[in-house]
Amino acid sequence: MRTRIATMGQKGVVIAALVFLLAGAARSQTPDRPAQARSDFAVTLKASPLLEPNQDVTITVTIKNQGAGAAPESDFDVIVKNGHAPREVVRTFKRKIRALAPGDHFSYSFKIKVALGLYEVCGTSDRKKKVDDADRTNNSACIIIEGK
Protein backbone atom coordinates (compact mmCIF):
# COMPACT_ATOMS: atom_id res chain seq x y z
CA MET A 1 0.00 0.00 0.00
CA ARG A 2 2.87 2.39 0.76
CA THR A 3 4.34 1.99 -2.69
CA ARG A 4 1.00 2.80 -4.25
CA ILE A 5 0.62 5.98 -2.18
CA ALA A 6 4.16 7.11 -3.06
CA THR A 7 3.49 6.49 -6.75
CA MET A 8 0.23 8.41 -6.61
CA GLY A 9 2.02 11.21 -4.76
CA GLN A 10 4.71 11.40 -7.43
CA LYS A 11 2.05 11.48 -10.16
CA GLY A 12 0.29 14.27 -8.31
CA VAL A 13 3.50 16.30 -8.14
CA VAL A 14 4.13 15.78 -11.85
CA ILE A 15 0.57 16.78 -12.75
CA ALA A 16 0.77 19.88 -10.53
CA ALA A 17 4.08 20.86 -12.15
CA LEU A 18 2.59 20.47 -15.65
CA VAL A 19 -0.44 22.57 -14.73
CA PHE A 20 1.86 25.26 -13.31
CA LEU A 21 4.04 25.28 -16.44
CA LEU A 22 1.08 25.39 -18.82
CA ALA A 23 -0.53 28.20 -16.87
CA GLY A 24 2.74 30.16 -16.97
CA ALA A 25 3.11 29.59 -20.73
CA ALA A 26 -0.46 30.71 -21.34
CA ARG A 27 0.05 33.79 -19.16
CA SER A 28 3.23 34.80 -21.09
CA GLN A 29 1.39 34.55 -24.46
CA THR A 30 -1.66 36.66 -23.58
CA PRO A 31 -2.36 39.82 -25.65
CA ASP A 32 -1.54 42.08 -22.72
CA ARG A 33 1.85 40.33 -22.39
CA PRO A 34 3.19 39.30 -25.84
CA ALA A 35 6.23 37.05 -26.31
CA GLN A 36 9.52 38.93 -25.92
CA ALA A 37 11.24 40.01 -29.17
CA ARG A 38 14.65 38.38 -29.68
CA SER A 39 17.79 39.48 -31.47
CA ASP A 40 19.20 37.53 -34.42
CA PHE A 41 22.85 37.96 -35.41
CA ALA A 42 23.76 37.43 -39.07
CA VAL A 43 27.49 37.30 -39.91
CA THR A 44 29.22 37.99 -43.22
CA LEU A 45 32.93 37.93 -44.09
CA LYS A 46 34.55 39.45 -47.18
CA ALA A 47 38.19 39.47 -48.32
CA SER A 48 39.98 41.93 -50.58
CA PRO A 49 41.39 40.41 -53.77
CA LEU A 50 44.86 38.88 -53.62
CA LEU A 51 46.97 40.36 -56.41
CA GLU A 52 50.46 39.05 -55.61
CA PRO A 53 52.18 36.55 -53.26
CA ASN A 54 52.77 37.50 -49.61
CA GLN A 55 50.32 40.35 -49.82
CA ASP A 56 48.18 41.71 -47.00
CA VAL A 57 44.54 40.77 -47.41
CA THR A 58 41.87 42.87 -45.73
CA ILE A 59 39.09 40.86 -44.09
CA THR A 60 35.86 42.78 -43.44
CA VAL A 61 33.47 41.42 -40.81
CA THR A 62 29.85 42.53 -40.61
CA ILE A 63 27.49 41.51 -37.81
CA LYS A 64 23.86 42.52 -38.34
CA ASN A 65 21.02 42.22 -35.86
CA GLN A 66 18.19 41.13 -38.13
CA GLY A 67 15.94 40.21 -35.21
CA ALA A 68 13.05 42.14 -33.69
CA GLY A 69 14.78 42.62 -30.32
CA ALA A 70 17.88 44.53 -29.24
CA ALA A 71 21.14 42.61 -28.86
CA PRO A 72 23.40 43.39 -25.88
CA GLU A 73 27.15 43.86 -26.16
CA SER A 74 28.81 40.60 -27.17
CA ASP A 75 32.03 39.03 -28.43
CA PHE A 76 33.17 38.10 -31.93
CA ASP A 77 35.89 35.51 -32.60
CA VAL A 78 37.82 34.98 -35.84
CA ILE A 79 39.98 31.91 -36.44
CA VAL A 80 42.38 31.64 -39.38
CA LYS A 81 43.39 28.03 -40.21
CA ASN A 82 45.43 26.32 -42.88
CA GLY A 83 43.03 25.17 -45.58
CA HIS A 84 44.78 21.81 -45.94
CA ALA A 85 45.47 19.06 -43.40
CA PRO A 86 46.44 19.22 -40.57
CA ARG A 87 44.34 22.45 -40.60
CA GLU A 88 46.23 24.03 -37.72
CA VAL A 89 45.22 27.44 -36.38
CA VAL A 90 47.43 30.19 -37.79
CA ARG A 91 45.92 33.14 -35.94
CA THR A 92 42.95 34.16 -33.79
CA PHE A 93 41.26 37.53 -33.27
CA LYS A 94 38.73 38.58 -30.61
CA ARG A 95 36.62 41.70 -30.70
CA LYS A 96 33.93 43.25 -28.51
CA ILE A 97 30.77 44.11 -30.43
CA ARG A 98 28.68 47.01 -29.18
CA ALA A 99 24.98 46.58 -28.44
CA LEU A 100 22.92 46.44 -31.64
CA ALA A 101 19.37 47.72 -32.06
CA PRO A 102 17.04 45.80 -34.40
CA GLY A 103 18.25 46.34 -37.99
CA ASP A 104 21.58 47.81 -36.81
CA HIS A 105 24.96 46.42 -37.84
CA PHE A 106 28.61 46.61 -36.80
CA SER A 107 31.51 46.25 -39.23
CA TYR A 108 35.26 46.22 -38.80
CA SER A 109 38.29 45.17 -40.83
CA PHE A 110 41.68 43.65 -40.14
CA LYS A 111 44.64 42.58 -42.27
CA ILE A 112 46.45 39.27 -42.54
CA LYS A 113 49.50 38.40 -44.62
CA VAL A 114 48.79 35.46 -46.90
CA ALA A 115 51.60 33.21 -48.12
CA LEU A 116 51.20 30.40 -50.67
CA GLY A 117 48.41 27.92 -49.91
CA LEU A 118 44.79 27.89 -48.81
CA TYR A 119 43.46 29.54 -45.68
CA GLU A 120 40.07 29.24 -44.04
CA VAL A 121 38.85 32.31 -42.15
CA CYS A 122 35.84 31.70 -39.87
CA GLY A 123 34.08 34.24 -37.69
CA THR A 124 31.53 33.52 -34.96
CA SER A 125 29.38 35.92 -32.95
CA ASP A 126 28.46 35.07 -29.38
CA ARG A 127 30.42 31.79 -29.32
CA LYS A 128 29.60 31.29 -25.60
CA LYS A 129 25.84 31.69 -26.30
CA LYS A 130 25.25 34.47 -23.78
CA VAL A 131 22.79 36.32 -26.06
CA ASP A 132 19.23 34.97 -26.49
CA ASP A 133 19.46 34.71 -30.28
CA ALA A 134 16.43 33.68 -32.38
CA ASP A 135 18.50 31.72 -34.94
CA ARG A 136 22.01 30.51 -34.14
CA THR A 137 22.56 28.94 -37.58
CA ASN A 138 23.61 32.30 -39.04
CA ASN A 139 25.94 33.34 -36.21
CA SER A 140 29.06 32.25 -38.09
CA ALA A 141 30.52 32.46 -41.57
CA CYS A 142 33.64 31.13 -43.29
CA ILE A 143 35.59 32.10 -46.39
CA ILE A 144 38.53 30.49 -48.17
CA ILE A 145 41.52 32.58 -49.26
CA GLU A 146 44.02 31.23 -51.74
CA GLY A 147 47.56 32.55 -51.47
CA LYS A 148 49.04 32.55 -54.96
Side-chain angles (χ1 to χ4, degrees):
M1 190 101 175
R2 275 191 154 162
T3 305
R4 186 177 230 189
I5 292 171
T7 304
M8 290 301 289
Q10 290 171 350
K11 285 182 183 177
V13 170
V14 170
I15 290 170
L18 285 173
V19 169
F20 177 77
L21 290 173
L22 291 173
R27 188 173 48 244
S28 68
Q29 298 291 326
T30 58
D32 61 319
R33 191 173 165 180
Q36 185 177 3
R38 294 166 55 192
S39 61
D40 182 18
F41 290 132
V43 174
T44 56
L45 299 174
K46 293 183 181 175
S48 64
L50 186 64
L51 303 175
E52 57 188 59
N54 295 318
Q55 172 187 344
D56 282 347
V57 174
T58 301
I59 308 293
T60 302
V61 176
T62 302
I63 302 101
K64 181 176 182 180
N65 179 7
Q66 60 186 22
E73 183 179 276
S74 61
D75 293 324
F76 192 81
D77 299 322
V78 175
I79 298 173
V80 181
K81 298 180 191 175
N82 284 325
H84 295 292
R87 301 183 50 80
E88 53 198 25
V89 173
V90 176
R91 190 151 183 212
T92 60
F93 301 89
K94 292 189 182 292
R95 179 82 184 242
K96 286 277 188 199
I97 305 302
R98 64 176 169 77
L100 298 174
D104 193 8
H105 72 279
F106 180 85
S107 294
Y108 72 96
S109 298
F110 61 91
K111 292 184 179 190
I112 58 171
K113 187 171 289 292
V114 179
L116 293 175
L118 285 177
Y119 298 89
E120 181 182 39
V121 180
C122 294
T124 304
S125 64
D126 189 36
R127 182 178 295 278
K128 295 180 181 176
K129 298 177 175 73
K130 292 181 179 179
V131 177
D132 184 23
D133 200 76
D135 178 10
R136 293 203 180 278
T137 62
N138 58 358
N139 284 16
S140 59
C142 294
I143 57 174
I144 300 291
I145 301 172
E146 183 177 359
K148 301 178 181 186

